[in-house]
Amino acid sequence: MSVPVDGVVENEGVANIKKSGRHRLLRGLHRMASSPSLAHVGRQRSASNPYSAHSTLSCVSLASSPTPFAQASPGSYFSHFSADHSSAPTTPGSPVESPGYDGIESILAVRKIEHPLLHSTSISLPLDVKRKAARTNMWEKMPHEIKIHVLSFLLPKELVRVSRVSKDFHTMCFDGQLWTSFDASEFYKEIPAESMAKIIVTAGPFVKDLNLRGCVQVEHYKRAEVLAKACRNLINATLEGCRNFQRTTLHTLLKSNEKLATLNLTGLTAVTNATCKIIAQSCPQLEMFNVSWCKHMDARGIKTVVEGCPKLKDLRAGEIKGFESSEVAHALFKTNNLERLVLAGCDDLSDNALQIMVRGFDPEIDVLTDRPMVPPRKLRHLDLSRCTRLSNNGVKALGYLVPDLEGLQLSGVTSITDAALEPIIASTPRLTHLELEDLPELTNSLLSEHLAKAACASNLEHLSISYCENLGDTGMLPIFRNCTKLKSAFIDNTRVSDLVLAEAAAMVRERATAKTTTQKGVKPVAGLNLVVYDCQNVTWTGVREVLSRNAEIAGRRNKPIQPTTNPNLYPSAEIISLKCFYGWQMTVDEHTKRVLNGDVGAANRLERKWALYMQANEEAGVAGANGRRRRRRAREAAQAHADEEDGDGVNTGGVFTGRRRARTAACAIM
């Protein structure tokens, strides 16, 4: 039978069997727990402890008095334990007995700890148990309108990426309020067609400005149908380049958008005269209409739109057939609301049709001035380029009837002369852009006696007389002296010389003087774009004059330029951007880049070495004695100029330091 001893059941037959370590440990713990002398050992628990409230915290000292040699003193616990309770077995094979703990109170020194916190009725929880404060998600509590406003600063491509964060972001990123202006021409190559279609379907009712110029994702007829059904509130629409737009889809789109004000259908094969009829009936608010290069329509469709859209101000119908019709011309005369008229490339436009557009049928003539008594036209921009059937009789009709004209383009009308342009220049004080390319009959008298002395000379900003082979220095010098606001001059393939380049440089320098004195430390900008390539009378000397003026520091004329670190010593506020002979263009571009960056010293060094190179080349080509020496100097100058132009090293004391860029030898064909 088993008898319980200290809570452990033992068998009499196996009492002498050696216990395992685990059993011995449990037996010792049971004996210690049953000892009444250790009941008061420990600290007092808090009042909220559900287990016990009678324990006290104690600290047990294992030595009654310290000993310097770390040996047990006679009154210590270890001395009693070693003397009375030896742990070594007395007989081999005898069972291990645990030492007795009788009288342990007299051996152990019990010292209680007094602390104010021990008497409190509560105690704080550890840091790892404390409840953390809930974090506030400001985005979730933010109003929906503010979220949409924040997302409105993202680009379309970024909105598509953010939509993948979560369902909420997906819903907000495709909110129609973010897509009121949908310009796919900037990102259509970077997003898939499915995302494009989804954006259009989701944001269609909200889209007001739609630009699908060159967008290939909507060329499929199904996507185009989705577009036509979704967008019903368009104000500005550009479908240029959508080549596969079906005719029925286009008509559906036009019928469902009655508020259209700007419509660009350039190059669409689906546009016909029937399309123009639908526009005239469904879009009464139309102000800009562009159908250039639409091959399946003619001027009769233009007439329908002009009569059905009374607010039309901008009409662009380049290369449209049928403008020789007097009915179409009379419809344009009656509207008198057009501010921009583009008829470039309309070969059918005749002198009679142009006269009817400006004067109407049989106008009353003023006896004193011999001019028609009709209301002046409101045209501000007129483009008649490449209308080859026009002559002086038609173009002259514009004189004194377009006083608000700001831009006139007559390039390619080869039959007109000075007589056709003189009345126009005299009666257009607001003229800023004048393009007269490829007009071989023009003379210097038109520029020097009329344009340079006209009221528009002070406002002229752009002049193009390329391929006017009769024009030269006599006509262009007064232009640069009087037209002080000129920003671009295309005078290539003319007879101008280095004098024109020097006069242009002087004009730009004088114009930039006021800006330089009031804006010190500001880097220069290209104030005049000058094109003079293929001009036989322009030499490298004139080009060097322009380069020298560009690098001239304001207020330091006739003084040698020294290297300086002063940021206020920049060149003039404006310089000339020059296009010249292709063999010199690389040097000119490098010089301009250095000037724009404020590196005046490097720009002047490049100009000086280029001039030495050009001068040595001229000397090397002269026949006579010492030809070999001149050719050697030309090669050395060419090498120095090439090193300076590359900018890969520094030439100090005749020794080139730094890495030299590899060059290929010129190919000579014998």
Side-chain angles (χ1 to χ4, degrees):
M1 297 297 293
S2 60
V3 180
V5 178
D6 293 337
V8 179
V9 179
E10 297 181 356
N11 194 347
E12 294 177 355
V14 293
N16 295 327
I17 299 176
K18 185 177 180 180
K19 306 296 181 180
S20 63
R22 180 174 178 272
H23 285 198
R24 284 186 286 130
L25 178 61
L26 291 175
R27 185 179 178 182
L29 292 176
H30 280 294
R31 286 184 178 181
M32 293 177 65
S34 61
S35 177
S37 61
L38 295 177
H40 64 279
V41 178
R43 67 178 179 86
Q44 184 179 2
R45 296 181 181 272
S46 62
S48 61
N49 183 33
Y51 304 106
S52 174
H54 302 287
S55 300
T56 58
L57 179 64
S58 301
C59 183
V60 180
S61 176
L62 300 179
S64 60
S65 60
T67 57
F69 301 100
Q71 296 181 359
S73 61
S76 66
Y77 166 76
F78 293 103
S79 62
H80 287 277
F81 185 81
S82 61
D84 301 334
H85 308 283
S86 176
S87 62
T90 57
T91 305
S94 62
V96 179
E97 297 181 359
S98 299
Y101 294 96
D102 296 336
I104 194 171
E105 296 90 346
S106 61
I107 298 174
L108 297 177
V110 180
R111 178 169 55 89
K112 295 184 178 181
I113 298 176
E114 299 293 337
H115 196 276
L117 295 177
L118 298 178
H119 301 285
S120 61
T121 58
S122 64
I123 189 170
S124 60
L125 294 173
L127 294 177
D128 55 347
V129 183
K130 285 184 178 180
R131 181 178 298 174
K132 297 182 180 180
R135 295 182 179 180
T136 304
N137 193 337
M138 297 185 62
W139 181 259
E140 292 182 356
K141 296 183 178 181
M142 193 178 297
H144 181 73
E145 292 77 7
I146 298 181
K147 293 180 182 179
I148 296 299
H149 180 69
V150 172
L151 294 176
S152 65
F153 292 95
L154 298 179
L155 298 176
K157 182 181 178 181
E158 297 171 345
L159 283 174
V160 175
R161 288 181 177 177
V162 173
S163 65
R164 302 176 182 176
V165 174
S166 63
K167 291 183 178 180
D168 294 337
F169 273 93
H170 185 274
T171 303
M172 288 185 294
C173 289
F174 286 100
D175 192 293
Q177 301 179 44
L178 297 175
W179 302 95
T180 55
S181 179
F182 187 76
D183 188 359
S185 62
E186 300 178 355
F187 61 88
Y188 72 91
K189 296 181 180 179
E190 302 174 357
I191 65 175
E194 292 76 11
S195 299
M196 176 80 70
K198 188 172 184 179
I199 293 172
I200 294 175
V201 172
T202 305
F206 297 89
V207 175
K208 296 182 179 180
D209 301 332
L210 179 65
N211 186 2
L212 299 178
R213 181 177 181 180
C215 184
V216 296
Q217 279 88 341
V218 296
E219 287 190 354
H220 196 275
Y221 71 96
K222 291 185 177 180
R223 298 193 186 100
E225 290 178 356
V226 170
L227 169 67
K229 295 178 181 179
C231 300
R232 297 183 177 275
N233 294 308
L234 294 179
I235 296 178
N236 304 314
T238 300
L239 304 179
E240 180 181 354
C242 300
R243 297 164 296 184
N244 295 335
F245 227 82
Q246 299 296 324
R247 187 171 303 170
T248 55
T249 305
L250 178 59
H251 292 176
T252 303
L253 179 65
L254 295 174
K255 291 178 181 178
S256 59
N257 291 275
E258 299 179 354
K259 299 180 181 179
L260 271 175
T262 302
L263 182 59
N264 186 358
L265 304 177
T266 303
L268 264 65
T269 57
V271 178
T272 60
N273 290 339
T275 306
C276 296
K277 185 177 180 180
I278 294 175
I279 293 173
Q281 296 174 354
S282 304
C283 306
Q285 308 296 327
L286 193 64
E287 296 181 2
M288 195 283 285
F289 186 46
N290 190 350
V291 287
S292 300
W293 300 292
C294 293
K295 300 179 180 179
H296 297 159
M297 63 167 294
D298 55 25
R300 291 177 296 177
I302 300 295
K303 175 178 176 294
T304 305
V305 174
V306 169
E307 293 176 347
C309 301
K311 296 184 178 181
L312 189 64
K313 296 181 180 179
D314 190 344
L315 176 60
R316 307 181 188 185
E319 298 190 9
I320 299 297
K321 303 295 183 180
F323 273 100
E324 76 280 2
S325 173
S326 59
E327 296 180 358
V328 176
H330 189 62
L332 294 174
F333 170 77
K334 289 191 300 182
T335 178
N336 198 20
N337 288 327
L338 294 177
E339 296 181 359
R340 181 187 294 270
L341 180 60
V342 178
L343 300 177
C346 295
D347 298 334
D348 297 337
L349 183 62
S350 60
D351 292 338
N352 184 38
L354 183 59
Q355 291 176 356
I356 295 175
M357 287 182 191
V358 179
R359 302 177 179 180
F361 285 116
D362 298 328
E364 184 179 356
I365 303 298
D366 189 350
V367 179
L368 298 178
T369 60
D370 196 22
R371 300 170 187 168
M373 299 176 62
V374 295
R377 305 294 94 186
K378 297 181 180 179
L379 285 173
R380 298 174 58 188
H381 302 276
L382 179 61
D383 187 359
L384 301 176
S385 302
R386 305 188 308 280
C387 295
T388 55
R389 293 183 60 182
L390 293 179
S391 62
N392 288 348
N393 295 330
V395 177
K396 188 185 300 184
L398 298 173
Y400 300 98
L401 292 179
V402 285
D404 298 331
L405 196 64
E406 297 178 5
L408 178 61
Q409 300 178 20
L410 294 172
S411 302
V413 187
T414 57
S415 59
I416 63 175
T417 61
D418 297 353
L421 296 175
E422 290 174 1
I424 299 176
I425 294 175
S427 60
T428 52
R430 300 181 181 180
L431 190 65
T432 59
H433 289 68
L434 182 61
E435 294 188 7
L436 305 175
E437 295 183 13
D438 197 12
L439 301 183
E441 302 297 329
L442 298 184
T443 63
N444 290 321
S445 175
L446 177 68
L447 301 181
S448 60
E449 300 297 332
H450 295 86
L451 183 58
K453 299 179 180 179
C456 63
S458 58
N459 298 323
L460 192 64
E461 297 179 0
H462 174 79
L463 176 63
S464 178
I465 56 172
S466 302
Y467 293 93
C468 295
E469 299 177 355
N470 293 332
L471 302 182
D473 295 348
T474 306
M476 286 305 302
L477 289 176
I479 293 295
F480 281 113
R481 291 170 185 163
N482 299 328
C483 302
T484 57
K485 292 185 179 180
L486 203 62
K487 296 181 179 179
S488 59
F490 293 83
I491 54 178
D492 55 286
N493 291 276
T494 59
R495 296 184 179 182
V496 297
S497 66
D498 297 340
L499 294 177
V500 173
L501 272 65
E503 189 65 34
M507 184 268 291
V508 172
R509 184 182 65 248
E510 294 177 1
R511 185 172 64 185
T513 301
K515 296 182 181 180
T516 305
T517 56
T518 58
Q519 300 179 3
K520 291 185 177 180
V522 178
K523 291 185 178 181
V525 295
L528 175 62
N529 184 19
L530 186 60
V531 180
V532 294
Y533 57 80
D534 292 340
C535 295
Q536 299 180 358
N537 297 329
V538 173
T539 65
W540 67 270
T541 307
V543 175
R544 186 191 181 188
E545 179 69 18
V546 174
L547 300 183
S548 176
R549 296 297 186 184
N550 285 346
E552 184 180 85
I553 295 179
R556 299 187 65 177
R557 292 184 61 187
N558 301 325
K559 294 182 180 180
I561 298 178
Q562 302 294 337
T564 178
T565 58
N566 188 352
N568 291 330
L569 292 180
Y570 283 118
S572 300
E574 295 183 8
I575 64 172
I576 296 178
S577 177
L578 184 64
K579 300 294 181 182
C580 58
F581 176 60
Y582 72 93
W584 309 334
Q585 191 60 47
M586 293 181 63
T587 301
V588 173
D589 291 342
E590 179 65 23
H591 186 276
T592 303
K593 183 178 70 173
R594 296 184 183 186
V595 172
L596 293 177
N597 291 334
D599 195 353
V600 183
N604 282 278
R605 187 169 60 251
L606 175 62
E607 174 208 337
R608 183 173 61 254
K609 292 187 177 181
W610 180 66
L612 292 175
Y613 162 67
M614 296 300 297
Q615 188 174 8
N617 276 346
E618 289 184 353
E619 293 177 355
V622 177
N626 298 326
R628 181 178 297 178
R629 181 180 301 176
R630 291 195 298 270
R631 289 192 293 271
R632 184 177 67 252
R633 287 191 311 192
R635 289 193 298 268
E636 293 175 355
Q639 183 67 35
H641 167 251
D643 292 339
E644 179 62 34
E645 190 176 34
D646 289 344
D648 290 338
V650 180
N651 193 348
T652 56
V655 180
F656 184 84
T657 61
R659 187 177 61 181
R660 178 173 297 169
R661 185 179 303 172
R663 302 185 185 90
T664 58
C667 178
I669 300 178
M670 301 302 295

